[in-house]
Amino acid sequence: MYELHFGVPMARVGLCTLNIRHDSNMVSVLLKHSKPKLIFVDQQLLDVATGAIEILSKTSTDLPRLVLILESDRTSTLKTVSTNEILEYERMLTMGKPDFKIKWPRDEWDPISLSYTSGTTSSPKGVVYSHRGAYLNSLAAVLLNEMPSMPIYLWTVPMYYCNGWCLTWAMAAQGGTNICLRNVSANGIFSSISQHKVTHMGYFEHDSECPHK
């Protein structure tokens, strides 16, 4: 997901990160609304994604292409869903052009990302980030969290939530190191802090869904 925060905007298209806790039915609703051309899915969530596409296949919605992200070098049997063949992420990258020219946004107000609320109190609602807004919020995140050059950030607030509060791009701006957890646990957090000398991390305050660093 971190790579996609840069690769997708560089192709002058919008990024839409979805909540991994949604089921297939909710994911299908969000896919129908956002109308993506591609879905990048971690292998642990493949069943949710394929279930959502199966639901969409019963409607008039154009089906997106599925790109599967395998865990490390582990192989997996790729199957087909409806008429859409599943691509493998690393294999897809080899199909790219080394001399690809970045497609810069035509205007700083062009959309860079579509995010959805979690649907805690009602159906999820979509919010669009502009390139300008993401840029300014990234710089604000650096200042708010008093990040020096080369920070080490532990991802405990998920990247799908508001694009990690734009800390995805903020970390790159500061030349930082990203530490990612497969699952959030006390042991994983403390082990990562000790092993990687983490300088920054975040947590949620559930009442307001607002992270504090």
Side-chain angles (χ1 to χ4, degrees):
M1 187 180 287
Y2 191 81
E3 292 177 359
L4 293 172
H5 270 79
F6 298 88
V8 171
M10 286 169 66
R12 200 192 289 155
V13 291
L15 176 67
C16 179
T17 59
L18 298 181
N19 191 329
I20 63 172
R21 297 183 177 90
H22 285 325
D23 60 15
S24 294
N25 186 62
M26 179 56 72
V27 170
S28 72
V29 171
L30 300 183
L31 293 180
K32 185 175 182 180
H33 181 263
S34 58
K35 300 179 181 178
K37 297 292 191 299
L38 293 172
I39 302 177
F40 296 85
V41 58
D42 184 280
Q43 68 176 43
Q44 286 191 345
L45 301 169
L46 181 58
D47 289 342
V48 175
T50 54
I53 291 180
E54 288 294 341
I55 293 172
L56 284 179
S57 68
K58 299 179 176 66
T59 69
S60 59
T61 305
D62 291 336
L63 300 181
R65 190 84 179 268
L66 239 166
V67 181
L68 178 62
I69 302 172
L70 299 177
E71 185 174 348
S72 301
D73 298 325
R74 188 178 302 174
T75 59
S76 177
T77 302
L78 302 185
K79 57 183 179 178
T80 58
V81 182
S82 297
T83 59
N84 282 23
E85 180 185 354
I86 297 179
L87 294 174
E88 193 273 314
Y89 179 68
E90 295 296 335
R91 191 181 307 166
M92 188 193 73
L93 293 183
T94 63
M95 299 162 57
K97 299 178 179 178
D99 59 348
F100 172 79
K101 302 298 183 183
I102 296 175
K103 295 183 179 181
W104 300 101
R106 297 184 182 89
D107 187 279
E108 64 180 355
W109 292 105
D110 286 349
I112 189 174
S113 177
L114 169 63
S115 298
Y116 288 98
T117 60
S118 59
T120 305
T121 56
S122 64
S123 298
K125 294 170 285 294
V127 179
V128 175
Y129 281 12
S130 66
H131 282 260
R132 176 181 174 84
Y135 168 74
L136 292 176
N137 199 52
S138 298
L139 296 186
V142 170
L143 296 173
L144 176 65
N145 294 289
E146 300 180 352
M147 283 187 172
S149 296
M150 314 295 280
I152 301 175
Y153 187 77
L154 176 62
W155 282 96
T156 50
V157 173
M159 291 183 202
Y160 68 73
Y161 193 87
C162 302
N163 299 98
W165 296 107
C166 290
L167 283 161
T168 44
W169 298 299
M171 287 300 297
Q174 292 303 93
T177 299
N178 295 279
I179 309 299
C180 299
L181 298 171
R182 168 58 76 179
N183 297 296
V184 177
S185 66
N187 181 62
I189 290 172
F190 285 110
S191 295
S192 295
I193 292 173
S194 175
Q195 179 181 353
H196 301 290
K197 311 303 180 187
V198 169
T199 60
H200 295 77
M201 59 179 287
Y203 71 89
F204 271 111
E205 185 175 283
H206 290 288
D207 288 343
S208 59
E209 293 189 342
C210 177
H212 298 264
K213 310 298 186 292

